[in-house]
């Protein structure tokens, strides 16, 4: 981007930020669509600053990518221009497919998001490092921020391993078809994980501020590690579920509304529950502030 273009964009942003809070905002959505052959691939990596991520696994020989880049401002021209400043790099590097969001972090360090989490109706501000820059995520309408975020939807086979690094936004996953030997490694700094029927053999999920929910059992997962710093963990299980749940928590409770099994201490600071014959999924749960809930799947 030329210095002149950068200056014009900054001036537009300044005018936008100086506007009264009651001013009407315009929005614009720029779609990015692409399909990539799975030939030669073993892993997909997704990196985004702000916005939700939706994943579907199903038998397919293509990784299908749909990205909706959202921009907002006082008029549609500004909103459209803003969306053009967010570029997604989608390319193969050896056996890895990378989907990386390149935000204009040199020009803007404050981003407005319309789905901020709140505590007692107060919207917080999240500060994090994205690609080497200190970035703030704020509520839309904040005078310091520009509204620029991306909604990412990816369909891929469960034979591919998946890595997700999201700073702010929920992550939803839905599995279809048979299970694969791949793995899932997901992180979101602020956001919930909502999982339906996972098809990976190994799963690792981490949310600093948000909950982790398996809404319909553990799918075909054999080994699972989930971690929350501030937020609960919810397992909705079907009759006959078997496996072992190993928990470590600092502040919170262990609720079992699924069956009559009890958590027992293993002498190393963990609480362990055996489900059924114990031969199913081995689940490790690490919570700082939050409770574990075992429930019956609806």
């Amino acid at each position: 981007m030329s210095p002149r273009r950068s200056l014009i964009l900054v001036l537009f942003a300044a005018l936008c930020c100086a506007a009264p809070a009651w001013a009407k905002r315009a929005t614009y959505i720029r779609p990015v669509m692409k399909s990539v052959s799975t030939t030669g691939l073993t892993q997909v990596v997704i990196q985004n600053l702000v916005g939700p991520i939706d994943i579907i696994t199903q038998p397919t020989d293509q990784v299908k990518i749909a990205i909706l880049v959202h921009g907002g401002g006082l008029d549609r021209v500004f909103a459209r221009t803003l969306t053009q400043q967010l570029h997604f790099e989608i390319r193969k590097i050896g056996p890895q497919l990378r989907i990386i969001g390149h935000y204009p972090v040199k020009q803007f360090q404050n981003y407005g998001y319309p789905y901020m989490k709140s505590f007692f109706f107060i919207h917080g501000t999240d500060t994090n490092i994205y690609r080497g820059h200190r970035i703030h995520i704020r509520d839309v309408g904040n005078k310091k921020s520009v509204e620029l975020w991306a909604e990412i939807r990816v369909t891929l086979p469960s034979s591919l391993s998946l890595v997700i690094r999201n700073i702010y936004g929920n992550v939803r996953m839905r599995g279809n078809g048979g299970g694969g030997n791949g793995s899932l490694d997901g992180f979101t700094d602020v956001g919930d994980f909502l999982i339906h029927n996972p098809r990976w053999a190994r799963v690792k999920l981490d949310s600093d501020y948000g909950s982790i929910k398996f809404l319909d059992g553990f799918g075909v997962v054999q080994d699972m590690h989930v971690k929350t710093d501030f937020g609960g963990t919810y397992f909705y299980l079907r009759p006959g579920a078997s496996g072992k749940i190993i928990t470590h928590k600092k502040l919170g409770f262990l609720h079992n509304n699924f069956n009559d099994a009890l958590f027992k201490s293993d002498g190393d600071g963990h609480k362990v529950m055996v489900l059924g014959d114990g031969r199913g999924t081995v689940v490790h749960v690490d919570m700082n502030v939050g409770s574990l809930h075992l429930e019956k799947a609806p």
Side-chain angles (χ1 to χ4, degrees):
M1 184 190 306
S2 68
R4 178 180 176 82
R5 187 177 181 187
S6 297
L7 177 60
I8 291 174
L9 190 57
V10 170
L11 289 175
F12 267 114
L15 289 173
C16 176
C17 294
W22 46 261
K24 185 176 180 181
R25 295 178 63 82
T27 59
Y28 183 83
I29 300 175
R30 179 174 65 86
V32 178
M33 312 290 288
K34 190 169 184 177
S35 293
V36 179
S37 171
T38 60
T39 302
L41 290 180
T42 60
Q43 186 184 71
V44 176
V45 176
I46 302 173
Q47 181 177 339
N48 189 39
L49 174 60
V50 56
I53 296 177
D54 286 270
I55 303 295
I56 295 177
T57 58
Q58 64 183 36
T60 176
D61 60 0
Q62 298 278 324
V63 178
K64 300 176 183 179
I65 305 157
I67 302 173
L68 302 178
V69 179
H70 295 249
L74 287 182
D75 59 67
R76 190 173 175 85
V77 173
F78 174 80
R80 180 175 182 176
T81 302
L82 191 60
T83 64
Q84 294 170 349
Q85 308 308 307
L86 172 50
H87 167 67
F88 272 86
E89 172 191 358
I90 303 174
R91 64 168 176 159
K92 284 184 176 181
I93 300 180
Q96 186 182 82
L97 173 62
R98 298 183 182 180
I99 306 168
I100 309 295
H102 292 271
Y103 285 72
V105 291
K106 291 183 178 180
Q107 292 85 7
F108 304 113
Q109 289 80 48
N110 295 273
Y111 292 84
Y113 186 48
Y115 304 110
M116 290 284 290
K117 282 185 173 293
S118 61
F119 185 69
F120 289 116
F121 305 103
I122 299 175
H123 293 288
T125 298
D126 184 68
T127 302
N128 215 305
I129 303 298
Y130 187 78
R131 304 186 67 82
H133 293 265
R134 184 174 295 277
I135 301 300
H136 307 278
I137 309 299
R138 306 177 186 272
D139 189 30
V140 164
N142 183 284
K143 64 181 181 180
K144 295 181 179 180
S145 64
V146 293
E147 183 181 352
L148 181 62
W149 53 283
E151 182 178 355
I152 302 175
R153 303 170 184 172
V154 175
T155 302
L156 74 164
S158 58
S159 59
L160 297 181
S161 294
L162 176 63
V163 176
I164 293 176
R165 295 294 182 264
N166 202 31
I167 298 300
Y168 203 112
N170 294 337
V171 179
R172 292 179 177 271
M173 301 181 178
R174 181 177 294 275
N176 299 298
N181 293 321
S183 63
L184 165 65
D185 182 349
F187 170 81
T188 182
D189 187 59
V190 179
D192 301 330
F193 280 98
L194 305 169
I195 316 296
H196 296 260
N197 192 29
R199 302 283 90 189
W200 292 278
R202 298 170 303 282
V203 170
K204 179 182 178 182
L205 299 176
D206 186 349
S207 177
D208 279 354
Y209 185 93
S211 61
I212 295 177
K213 298 182 179 181
F214 283 76
L215 301 173
D216 191 22
F218 300 137
V220 301
V221 179
Q222 300 170 11
D223 182 72
M224 180 162 64
H225 294 253
V226 298
K227 180 180 179 181
T228 62
D229 189 50
F230 190 93
T233 302
Y234 300 79
F235 297 146
Y236 293 85
L237 305 176
R238 295 287 181 183
S242 65
K244 183 184 294 184
I245 300 176
I246 305 166
T247 68
H248 179 268
K249 63 177 180 62
K250 292 183 179 180
L251 184 61
F253 301 93
L254 303 175
H255 303 283
N256 181 12
N257 297 317
F258 174 67
N259 61 15
D260 296 328
L262 299 175
F263 284 96
K264 299 180 180 180
S265 177
D266 67 353
D268 292 323
H270 301 92
K271 295 289 187 178
V272 180
M273 172 186 286
V274 176
L275 294 172
D277 60 11
R279 297 181 181 178
T281 310
V282 178
V283 183
H284 298 263
V285 181
D286 187 357
M287 298 177 296
N288 186 25
V289 179
S291 297
L292 172 64
H293 302 262
L294 300 182
E295 305 285 348
K296 296 178 180 180

